Amino acid sequence: MAKLILIGFMGSGKTTIGRLLAEKLAIPQLDLDALIVQENKQSINDIFTEVGEEHFRKMETVALKKAINQNVVLSTGGGAPIKKLNQTILKSVDAPIVFLNAEFKTIEKRINRDASWPLLKRIAELKQRYIKQNFIYRDLADIEITTDRKSPDLIVEAILEKYDEI
Ligand code: S3P
């Protein structure tokens, strides 16, 4: 079963923080997007272009069902916790769900550096998604960490402190 689950908007640092947490907890990290890429032998961007977001969401649920049963730190994609079925899957294991919260300004800066985000093409929608999704993340999470102006090491330390309390 997953030991710790990271959720948050794209660019909130789930992959980086997940890797560092996994090192500290001495278990592997599993990045849900990476698993989708590996299983489907296609980049996330290509999946969005070729079969569309709706189909991607189905692949994401399939991958999540696999990932949740592994002894890992699980970094989810930003959209994964939005679907009700995925929320049920995420809550089905006894792992703290950690919401990495970053200001929209910070997110924008980070994703502008990386053109591989398929949703970046619809930048106008992004802020609306951000607002809506942050409510869902907050509702789902056991731990919320604000990441703006904090180094990855500091974020990891803050999570582990709260993780010990749970
Ligand atoms: C998405 C976030 C991405 C990836 C896909 C869709 C989203 O993951 O799953 O591009 O809907 O927010 P990251 O949050 O890891 O970038």
Side-chain angles (χ1 to χ4, degrees):
M1 299 297 158
K3 280 277 174 303
L4 196 148
I5 299 164
L6 292 171
I7 62 170
F9 205 69
M10 61 176 97
S12 60
K14 301 176 299 279
T15 303
T16 307
I17 301 303
R19 181 172 43 76
L20 294 173
L21 276 170
E23 272 170 33
K24 290 268 185 200
L25 296 171
I27 53 173
Q29 179 206 18
L30 206 161
D31 187 83
L32 196 60
D33 281 344
L35 182 62
I36 298 168
V37 169
Q38 189 192 320
E39 300 261 304
N40 297 282
K41 294 173 186 61
Q42 235 180 348
S43 73
I44 300 290
N45 228 342
D46 286 350
I47 296 173
F48 266 73
T49 314
E50 283 172 31
V51 292
E53 181 168 355
E54 208 180 309
H55 193 75
F56 168 77
R57 296 300 169 197
K58 290 188 182 146
M59 293 169 159
E60 193 173 45
T61 299
V62 171
L64 181 59
K65 283 182 182 163
K66 267 194 188 177
I68 204 78
N69 289 316
Q70 302 186 35
N71 182 34
V72 291
V73 170
L74 177 62
S75 303
T76 59
I82 307 311
K83 196 157 118 184
K84 281 267 182 302
L85 172 58
N86 293 351
Q87 292 174 11
T88 306
I89 298 169
L90 289 169
K91 285 194 282 193
S92 69
V93 293
D94 192 23
I97 299 178
V98 180
F99 166 30
L100 296 183
N101 191 3
E103 289 167 8
F104 190 69
K105 255 190 284 168
T106 310
I107 302 264
E108 235 180 347
K109 252 189 245 158
R110 287 189 193 144
I111 59 183
N112 270 331
R113 276 190 244 128
D114 183 352
S116 69
W117 261 295
L119 292 171
L120 194 58
K121 293 175 189 129
R122 295 182 268 150
I123 194 90
E125 273 179 36
L126 212 59
K127 179 109 197 222
Q128 283 314 105
R129 274 196 192 233
Y130 171 84
I131 294 166
K132 185 180 136 224
Q133 292 185 189
N134 270 10
F135 281 113
I136 297 172
Y137 300 141
R138 183 161 293 141
D139 232 38
L140 199 62
D142 303 295
I143 298 171
E144 178 174 339
I145 303 284
T146 304
T147 62
D148 305 279
R149 293 166 290 278
K150 282 187 194 149
S151 70
D153 284 342
L154 211 69
I155 296 166
V156 167
E157 213 176 284
I159 294 171
L160 289 176
E161 227 167 74
K162 297 204 179 187
Y163 180 74
D164 278 343
E165 287 167 15
I166 286 183

